[in-house]
Amino acid sequence: MKSFLDLLYPRRCMGCGVSSPETFRYVCWDCWSDAARVEPPFCALCGDPVAGAVDHDFICYSCSAETPAFDGARSAVRYDGVVGEALRQLKYEKALWLAPDMAKLLHNCVDAEYPGCTFDLLVPVPLHHVRRRTRGYNQSAILAHELGRRIGSPVASRLLKRIRPTATQTNLTAKQRLSNVVGAFQHGREKRLAGRRVLLVDDVMTTGATVNACAKTLKEGGAASVHVVTAARG
Ligand SMILES: [Zn+2]
Ligand SMILES: [Zn+2]
């Protein structure tokens, strides 16, 4: 079936159009190597990179000012270039065939940044049900399912709900983003959450306000730890 589909829809790199990409299915090696990885030095908690030669562990200013609810957050690449475009198409243009490539990014990031960690549950950042209905799918849930298959962890996509439709975070300041998500999430059955080590999955992380609100809700529900992984960092 797969090779039949390949005949019908020959795989071309979405960045440069070259056919038969190798490592990633829809992003060729050249385009992939152009993606800017999020590399150290970055904050030990939120994973936000800083410019400059810092050769010791450090916590950034905003994490020092207010400790985030998550135990760590890491992203594979910068929200830029071909990966930024792939994530945009996955989110807004129903380009679901890009999900395995993006999940591979997530998988590499989990292996590199959380070595030896076991996650009991993968939880995608939820969409409000109205937006989910309009879009037809939640791109973060699709990524979480692809990632879950790769790392062998179950996905719980109904354990966290967005109970308040929130304005899109895109054009908001950091402060507005924080208040935009206050009280926006609700956790489900505490029985499933109690004592669990959760990996929260999203496509893009910018200020971290959304994942922080999600992590706070999951911990209120009894989660033992909440780590965050996103494909890109805005
Ligand atoms: Zn390419
Ligand atoms: Zn930080």
Side-chain angles (χ1 to χ4, degrees), residues 121-133:
L121 283 177
L122 267 53
V123 174
V125 168
L127 288 179
H128 186 259
H129 66 92
V130 172
R131 185 168 295 171
R132 198 198 161 280
R133 213 179 301 140

Side-chain angles (χ1 to χ4, degrees), residues 42-48 58-64 68 70 233:
F42 48 62
C43 168
L45 271 175
C46 70
D48 235 18
F58 72 97
I59 305 290
C60 75
Y61 175 77
S62 68
C63 290
S64 315
F70 51 75
R233 181 76 56 137

Side-chain angles (χ1 to χ4, degrees), residues 101-207:
D101 280 358
M102 298 302 108
K104 185 163 185 186
L105 265 186
L106 289 165
H107 187 188
N108 291 350
C109 185
V110 168
D111 274 356
E113 298 298 334
Y114 300 130
C117 289
T118 315
F119 297 106
D120 304 311
L121 283 177
L122 267 53
V123 174
V125 168
L127 288 179
H128 186 259
H129 66 92
V130 172
R131 185 168 295 171
R132 198 198 161 280
R133 213 179 301 140
T134 323
R135 193 176 292 166
Y137 60 96
N138 173 5
Q139 76 283 356
S140 300
I142 289 170
L143 290 175
H145 281 284
E146 289 280 347
L147 178 62
R149 246 200 310 274
R150 287 163 184 268
I151 65 174
S153 298
V155 179
S157 45
R158 285 165 214 263
L159 217 43
L160 188 63
K161 280 201 173 82
R162 198 184 286 247
I163 50 171
R164 194 160 58 71
T166 48
T168 171
Q169 300 272 71
T170 315
N171 298 315
L172 303 181
T173 63
K175 208 172 173 189
Q176 288 169 326
R177 283 173 186 238
L178 264 182
S179 51
N180 189 34
V181 290
V182 168
F185 299 97
Q186 188 180 63
H187 61 78
R189 288 177 292 166
E190 298 193 1
K191 237 181 173 172
R192 272 200 84 187
L193 211 45
R196 305 293 175 169
R197 294 160 297 181
V198 173
L199 181 62
L200 185 65
V201 182
D202 207 0
D203 50 354
V204 185
M205 173 172 165
T206 306
T207 61

